[in-house]
Each structure stands twice: as structure tokens, then as C-alpha cells.
Amino acid sequence: MKCFGFKNSNIYVFGKGIEKTSLCIENGKIKKIGNNIKDNAFIELDEKYIVLPGFVDKHTHGANSADFMNPSKEKIKLILSAISKEGTTSCLATTMTQSIDNINLSLQTIASYIEEKPLGVEILGVHLEGPFISPKHAGAQPIKYIIPCDIKTFEELNKEARNHIKQVTLAVEEDGLELVKYLKAKGIVVSLGHTDCTYEEAIEAVNEGATSISHMFNAMRGLHHRNAGTVGAGLLSDELKCELICDLIHVSKPVVQLLYENKGKDGICLITDAMEAKWMPDGDYQLGGQKVIVKNGVARLEDGTLAGSTLKMNEAIHNFMQATGVSLLDAVDLATINPARCLHIEDKKGSIEVGKDADFVIVDKDLNVYMTICRGEIVYSKL
Ligand code: FE
């Protein structure tokens, strides 16, 4: 159903904070923000609700029993309809380390879905997580399919994806520097992750164009007092924006605080890294063809390795506020404008400003989600 706009409602207007105002939507975009809109077709919200920009999750593998690695159009719809309930309005479909043939199948299906331009949660592109990673920090990525970085292989993958790959997680120490330069030249985000790179190697990658770190602290060389490691580079380099899985399981509360104190509000992107068990009960699932057991919402391989999360985006923001004491709006920026800037799409996503896409989530002060609107269409509502 179409949403024409809001009137006399609490709206987080970018750069101004929460204002009691009105907003008009036309052709899926924000046409006007101001007080003098009286149209009866517009939604007037109760005092307890706040209109926020829709959340942008640039690292998600699946939800609702479906995985982007085993996709069909129906499976993709299952994922997107589930994540709309947590306020996500756009995402990067994230692949796993698998055989090149299997990754290609996933890329083809995701590309076809994107090109049909369906309504609903928007897939902004693909986040290619693996196969160019380190076997030393595989996490839940199957080691047998890991390969060194290689431009030619990447070109073949991106051809199957019809140029929809927008971010690549890679281990730069695995012959990766040339690939970093190549991706930078193509405008594709280079994210250091599943990597054993030293501080020096990470900074070299930054100098060649790396701008992101995938799930900071998880699956990377940690900080040692004589070797600052990937983590040290992530903490110190302003160029590197750090993805964070803020479920308080992958990273503990004091470490979330440590990250915030180092990176500030502009240096962190909240992600879910969620797998197919999100929005599903505990039980047996899979990730990258490996068995995953989900107990109390925590997903692990049989050997105990964390295997993605069941984190919802609204919970991630709430957890971040609890851990750091930052305000609601500052925490929301970490899930909206920061990922939009990281992906170079801040001209259309990430905040409520005239001219941007009409992507909204309506929440209360505790981040419970009541309605989600993607490009002017109501895709979820319990109001
Ligand atoms: Fe990962």
C-alpha cells in the first residue's frame, strides 16, 4: 500500500533532530518536509512514535529459513519480508565462501532479483564475503573453498553478478594488494575481514583504498601490545569504518565501549551478519553448507564456532545504546547514514532529507518497530 506522507508527527529530520512536522512522498521519494501539509491521506502518528530513516544492513546472509547462498526468488522474498519487520529497508545480499560454481549461482539469482526492481526491501547489491579470505580466520566460512585474492577470478564473479558486487571482504595478506587497487578503481568497497593482516599490512591496504573492516574484532588478527594487528589498524585509522555485530555475544559490552571511544559516531556501521535462523525458533540450521545449532538465539557450528547471528537491526541499535549510553539518534545514525556513506549512496539513502528515497521505520523510544516503508510503499505495519 502506498504511503503519501506524515503530518503532525515526530520525524527525525537529518541535521535537526526530532521535529513535530509533516512530510510528503512522491514517486517513492521525499518531496517536501514542512509544517503546512494538511492532506487527509497523510498518516498522523501518536506522540509515542518516531519516524526514522530505514535501516541499511550491509552484511546479512539470511533470515526466516532462507539464505542468500541458496537463493531462489521465493527465498529472497522470505528474507526481505522478515527483515522489514526489524526496520531494515535496504541491504547488501551477502555471500559465503563456497565453490566458485555455487557462488556464481547465488550471484546470478541475486542479480536477476535486483534487475526486476521489485517493491519492498531493496537489495542494494552484493557483499562478497569470501572466497578471498584467510584460512587462519575462517570463522564459519568453510576452509576448503578459500582461495588467495585474484583479480581474474573476481572479474568472473562480478560478471556473473552483472556488476552488482558493491563490497568485498578480503584478506589483503593473501596476495590482495592488487585486488584492493582494482576494486578501489571500480568504486567497490574494500573491507578487511577474515584476515591475519598485520597493522602495517592493513595500513598499506588503506593507502591503496580499503575503507572498511568487516565485523570488527571477529575473525581477524587481534591486538597485541607489540603487534597492533588488524584490530589496531581498525581502531586507529580514520579511513576504516568498522562494521559491528552488536548482539553483545560476538563482542562484549566493554569492547563495544572501547570501539565507540576510538571511532566516534562516524566510524561504526551496525550490521547483523544474520543467518537463516533469524526470525525462526531455536533448532538445527545451516550456513555455507555446514550444520549450525541455534540455542537461545546463538548460532554455532558443531565445534562451537560462532556462525553468524540471529540479531535484528532494531535490537543492534538498542544494544549499542545500552552499551555506550549514546542517544537514540546517534545510535540510529550508525545503522543509517554511516552505512549509506560507506557504500557511497548517501545521496539517496540513510537519512530523512528532501530528494532521498522514502525509506522509513516507525518506532517507539525502545526501538520497537511498528511500520516499515520502502520507497513510499508500506511493507510492514502493525499500527
Ligand atoms: Fe564473516
Side-chain angles (χ1 to χ4, degrees):
M1 198 175 85
K2 244 187 182 32
C3 173
F4 296 95
F6 306 100
K7 61 181 177 184
N8 198 30
S9 301
N10 293 319
I11 301 176
Y12 173 22
V13 181
F14 192 65
K16 293 184 177 168
I18 296 172
E19 293 197 329
K20 190 115 185 159
T21 188
S22 302
L23 181 157
C24 170
I25 300 169
E26 200 177 274
N27 297 326
K29 297 202 177 285
I30 302 168
K31 192 180 180 214
K32 190 175 165 191
I33 303 169
N35 263 324
N36 44 9
I37 304 170
K38 301 260 187 289
D39 199 308
N40 279 339
F42 285 30
I43 298 168
E44 185 164 4
L45 292 164
D46 258 31
E47 189 56 38
K48 76 171 213 181
Y49 299 115
I50 309 163
V51 183
L52 299 174
F55 307 142
V56 182
D57 187 355
K58 71 189 184 79
H59 192 151
T60 181
H61 296 277
N64 205 9
S65 80
D67 187 314
F68 284 119
M69 278 308 286
N70 305 92
S72 60
K73 222 184 283 176
E74 288 64 40
K75 294 255 182 204
I76 292 177
K77 280 185 193 158
L78 278 179
I79 299 171
L80 300 182
S81 70
I83 65 177
S84 75
K85 295 190 283 181
E86 61 203 63
T88 297
T89 54
S90 60
C91 69
L92 289 184
T94 307
T95 56
M96 288 277 292
T97 302
Q98 280 287 295
S99 69
I100 295 294
D101 284 351
N102 276 348
I103 297 174
N104 280 341
L105 279 176
S106 164
L107 295 173
Q108 289 160 5
T109 317
I110 296 164
S112 300
Y113 189 87
I114 292 171
E115 287 166 9
E116 280 180 23
K117 298 188 195 304
L119 296 173
V121 175
E122 185 174 0
I123 298 183
L124 300 162
V126 172
H127 174 173
L128 189 80
E129 188 179 30
F132 309 121
I133 60 173
S134 165
K136 288 188 185 160
H137 296 279
Q141 307 270 339
I143 289 176
K144 66 175 175 177
Y145 298 116
I146 290 175
I147 53 175
C149 299
D150 179 54
I151 292 176
K152 198 167 166 292
T153 309
F154 175 80
E155 280 179 331
E156 284 162 13
L157 289 166
N158 204 22
K159 195 173 158 213
E160 297 296 331
R162 301 200 284 277
N163 289 317
H164 286 296
I165 296 176
K166 301 295 176 205
Q167 172 165 327
V168 178
T169 290
L170 57 82
V172 67
E173 76 283 5
E174 299 286 336
D175 296 333
L177 216 47
E178 290 306 312
L179 182 57
V180 172
K181 289 183 203 171
Y182 173 92
L183 295 171
K184 157 87 176 164
K186 294 258 176 209
I188 297 168
V189 175
V190 176
S191 195
L192 307 177
H194 291 271
T195 174
D196 196 44
C197 69
T198 62
Y199 174 84
E200 290 74 18
E201 286 167 329
I203 297 303
E204 206 181 355
V206 168
N207 292 338
E208 297 299 347
T211 56
S212 168
I213 289 212
S214 295
H215 40 60
M216 178 69 168
F217 302 109
N218 298 116
M220 64 185 59
R221 183 188 278 253
L223 183 138
H224 181 274
H225 54 286
R226 280 188 292 276
N227 185 346
T230 324
V231 164
L235 291 174
L236 280 176
S237 168
D238 286 342
E239 278 76 24
L240 290 172
K241 308 301 177 191
C242 297
E243 292 183 353
L244 177 68
I245 310 170
C246 199
D247 58 359
L248 306 182
I249 297 160
H250 281 76
V251 177
S252 70
K253 199 168 154 183
V255 178
V256 173
Q257 291 167 350
L258 177 73
L259 183 67
Y260 181 63
E261 284 183 20
N262 275 270
K263 302 302 290 184
K265 73 182 279 304
D266 296 328
I268 302 167
C269 295
L270 296 180
I271 57 157
T272 64
D273 197 11
M275 43 78 76
E276 63 180 24
K278 174 158 73 168
W279 286 102
M280 297 292 287
D282 283 358
D284 291 352
Y285 295 90
Q286 68 80 40
L287 183 66
Q290 304 165 106
K291 185 176 173 189
V292 174
I293 300 156
V294 179
K295 202 175 157 191
N296 301 322
V298 182
R300 294 183 188 275
L301 300 181
E302 284 177 290
D303 69 2
T305 305
L306 284 170
S309 85
T310 60
L311 180 65
K312 295 164 186 156
M313 209 55 170
N314 60 326
E315 294 171 349
I317 298 168
H318 196 257
N319 289 341
F320 192 85
M321 289 169 67
Q322 298 291 315
T324 60
V326 300
S327 70
L328 175 91
L329 297 191
D330 279 357
V332 163
D333 285 350
L334 274 52
T336 54
I337 191 67
N338 288 6
R341 283 182 179 138
C342 186
L343 298 173
H344 313 298
I345 51 167
E346 71 270 31
D347 58 328
K348 59 175 191 151
K349 301 283 183 198
S351 61
I352 300 180
E353 292 177 88
V354 171
K356 289 200 181 186
D357 288 354
D359 290 349
F360 308 109
V361 51
I362 295 166
V363 299
D364 61 18
K365 65 175 179 22
D366 297 318
L367 266 308
N368 296 303
V369 172
Y370 293 88
M371 186 186 279
T372 305
I373 295 165
C374 299
R375 291 164 289 165
E377 294 282 332
I378 298 171
V379 298
Y380 169 71
S381 177
K382 60 175 186 180
L383 280 180

